[in-house]
Every structure is written in C-alpha cells, then in structure tokens.
Amino acid sequence: MALPPDFAEQSLYGPEAWFIHDVLTLDREAQRVVAFVDTTQLGPLVDAQHAVPGHPKHVPGAVCVQLTGTLATLLSAYVLDMRRTDGWVGFGTHIHEARFPTLGEIGPPVEAACTAKKVRSFRGTTFVRYAYHYTQEGRDLYVAEHTGAWFRPE
C-alpha cells in the first residue's frame, strides 16, 4: 500500500528524506510497521559514493538511521495515534544497540520493520522503545533498538 495520504503533514521531514517507498504493514495489535525501500532511489548519499574494488556503492548507514525516524513517525502517528497534526512532536533520544551485519546492496529492495517494544508516559512525555529490523534478500542489514520521546509542546 502507498504511504498514508497525509504522511507529509505528519512527518518532520520532506519526502526526499523518507527513504520509504511503500508501506507493507501497519499493525495496531502488534504495534508494528513494515515498509519497502527501493534501494535504487536513495539519492545523494549513494550518488556521491565512489565505488572501489571490494567496496561497492551500498545502502549507507546514515540512510538506515534516517529510516528509523520515518518508521517511528509512521508507527507513532498511525499505530499509537500520536500525530503531528494533533500537536505531537518526537525525536530520538538513544540508540541503544545497532548492528550492520551485511553491506546493503544497491538494487534489491529492503524490507524495513519497526516494532514498539515498550511505550510509557511520564510527565507529559511518551517514551517509545523501538526495535528495528531491516532485511535484504533474507539477510539482516540493520538490527537496532532506539528510544524516542514524544510530547505536545505548549
């Protein structure tokens, strides 16, 4: 399915920084979102890479981390009901653990998943611990846990 039609209004970034090309799953019960990433459409970070023997153009780690924000926004807006249009803003606070087990290739798509492992509210701020798992052709590409904080500024 396509990205939600109002996602541009929910995101703190423009479409050129989303790096997601389709949403595969928005699951309220599992508190999970899964998206499709077209690795041939990653823009300037890949275009600027110099391919050398043994180190081809690849999915940059910076894109993987930026994708975490897009996935967290999708999950928070459409699964946890914390929408920017309702006054919510969010930002990452911690990368607890991150692994890049495989160099991501340009060409094959990436399936990027984000699950809310823990959601808790404290003094008007909602903290979400996210688990991220990106795969490409059955191989792990990025596996991480991050925390984000969401609140409504007064």
Side-chain angles (χ1 to χ4, degrees):
M1 77 178 98
L3 284 159
D6 70 337
F7 186 65
E9 297 166 29
Q10 305 307 330
S11 180
L12 294 172
Y13 291 90
E16 65 277 7
W18 295 342
F19 300 119
I20 289 176
H21 303 93
D22 280 307
V23 174
L24 304 173
T25 304
L26 282 172
D27 186 334
R28 284 181 174 274
E29 186 175 324
Q31 294 188 322
R32 179 176 169 84
V33 61
V34 181
F36 169 84
V37 178
D38 181 346
T39 60
T40 67
Q41 301 295 316
L42 296 179
L45 283 176
V46 172
D47 296 344
Q49 290 177 349
H50 297 285
V52 296
H55 197 269
K57 287 189 175 196
H58 58 278
V59 177
V63 168
C64 291
V65 173
Q66 178 64 20
L67 272 167
T68 68
T70 306
L71 290 165
T73 299
L74 281 164
L75 192 144
S76 297
Y78 302 103
V79 173
L80 302 178
D81 295 320
M82 295 185 293
R83 295 172 185 257
R84 191 174 82 148
T85 52
D86 292 333
W88 289 93
V89 294
F91 55 91
T93 63
H94 295 80
I95 298 175
H96 302 281
E97 180 181 320
R99 293 183 300 114
F100 297 89
T102 303
L103 189 66
E105 298 175 27
I106 301 302
V110 168
E111 185 176 285
C114 174
T115 304
K117 287 185 66 174
K118 184 176 183 180
V119 180
R120 62 184 173 85
S121 294
F122 180 74
R123 295 186 179 174
T125 301
T126 299
F127 296 91
V128 183
R129 177 95 174 222
Y130 301 99
Y132 295 96
H133 189 196
Y134 306 170
T135 58
Q136 186 180 52
E137 296 186 321
R139 298 181 322 268
D140 290 345
L141 179 66
Y142 183 70
V143 181
E145 288 193 14
H146 297 207
T147 295
W150 294 85
F151 64 99
R152 291 181 183 179
E154 296 182 23

